[in-house]
Amino acid sequence: MKNFYIFAPLINRGRVPQNLIKKIMSVKIRLQRHGKKQKPFYWIVAADARAKRDGRFLEKIGTYNPNTNPATIDLNLDQAVQWLHNGAQPTDTARAILSYKGALLKHHLDGGVRKGALTQEQADAKLTAWIDEKAGKVDAKKDGLSKKQAEAKAKALKAETAANEKRANAAAEALKAAEAPEVVEEEVAEVTEEVVAEVAVEETPAVEEAPATEEASEETEA
């Protein structure tokens, strides 16, 4: 039986196998969908570019929840930067998330440290300052959203109170309008009774005086 040997071509001055370089360069940092229908929840993963979107992955480095406002992102910064150092390429959405959390900035600063453009302390100070500034902006946005929600809630309550008062006034007017004809009918009945009584009083003496006149004429003739 013959033995067969496969020799991988070497690059980078013969230190790193070419197939290993290709494997590293084919890694993608992307989102893997989870969660319920209409409520997606994503894992941020490093996966082989040839794998399915929601298939096997090499490592989970964070989560992304777009159902909150602002969106909730939990990222392992060191792991994400390490994959970037190894040549992993993020998708457009993943790149935006990494930029938002400072992974791209740390990757850039680490490159400057390796080149000697700045020290590690300077790089850490710049990253810390950027993260603090970003956290301040996020907190300000949250406060603004909370204030807007409170104002919208107060406005809705005021509108609801006004609508309730309007309905109550309309109901009172409708009840008043329903009772008005009965009062008018009662007043008409009272006036009619008074008129009938007055007519009866006026007509009664005329009927009683007629016999007296006749008696007087009889006495005169006698």
Side-chain angles (χ1 to χ4, degrees), residues 20-160:
L20 181 59
I21 292 293
K22 290 182 178 179
K23 184 176 181 181
I24 293 175
M25 293 302 293
S26 65
V27 173
K28 289 282 188 181
I29 298 177
R30 61 190 182 191
L31 302 184
Q32 188 178 85
R33 193 185 191 285
H34 294 269
K36 300 179 181 179
K37 187 177 181 180
Q38 304 298 331
K39 289 186 178 181
F41 182 83
Y42 298 94
W43 290 1
I44 305 171
V45 299
D48 192 323
R50 296 166 295 181
K52 295 181 180 179
R53 186 197 67 176
D54 299 331
R56 297 178 61 182
F57 57 90
L58 301 174
E59 186 179 20
K60 176 184 175 183
I61 60 177
T63 59
Y64 168 60
N65 183 10
N67 300 308
T68 60
N69 190 11
T72 303
I73 302 174
D74 183 15
L75 181 70
N76 189 319
L77 188 62
D78 293 333
Q79 289 180 353
V81 173
Q82 186 60 46
W83 279 109
L84 292 174
H85 289 347
N86 291 337
Q89 297 297 316
T91 61
D92 293 341
T93 305
R95 180 179 293 277
I97 292 174
L98 296 179
S99 176
Y100 182 81
K101 298 300 290 185
L104 296 183
L105 176 62
K106 182 173 174 55
H107 175 56
H108 174 72
L109 292 174
D110 288 348
V113 172
R114 288 194 301 269
K115 293 177 181 179
L118 69 166
T119 64
Q120 186 63 51
E121 290 76 12
Q122 292 174 336
D124 293 342
K126 287 186 177 182
L127 180 63
T128 301
W130 184 90
I131 290 176
D132 292 341
E133 182 181 359
K134 189 69 173 182
K137 292 180 180 179
V138 172
D139 291 339
K141 183 178 180 180
K142 289 181 179 178
D143 294 339
L145 291 173
S146 299
K147 184 177 180 180
K148 288 182 179 179
Q149 290 176 355
E151 292 176 353
K153 186 175 180 180
K155 186 176 180 181
L157 180 61
K158 184 177 180 180
E160 184 179 358

Side-chain angles (χ1 to χ4, degrees), residues 140-190:
K141 183 178 180 180
K142 289 181 179 178
D143 294 339
L145 291 173
S146 299
K147 184 177 180 180
K148 288 182 179 179
Q149 290 176 355
E151 292 176 353
K153 186 175 180 180
K155 186 176 180 181
L157 180 61
K158 184 177 180 180
E160 184 179 358
T161 302
N164 291 336
E165 291 179 355
K166 186 176 180 180
R167 285 194 294 267
N169 293 335
E173 292 178 358
L175 182 60
K176 185 177 180 181
E179 293 176 351
E182 296 180 359
V183 176
V184 172
E185 290 177 0
E186 291 178 358
E187 293 178 354
V188 171
E190 292 176 358

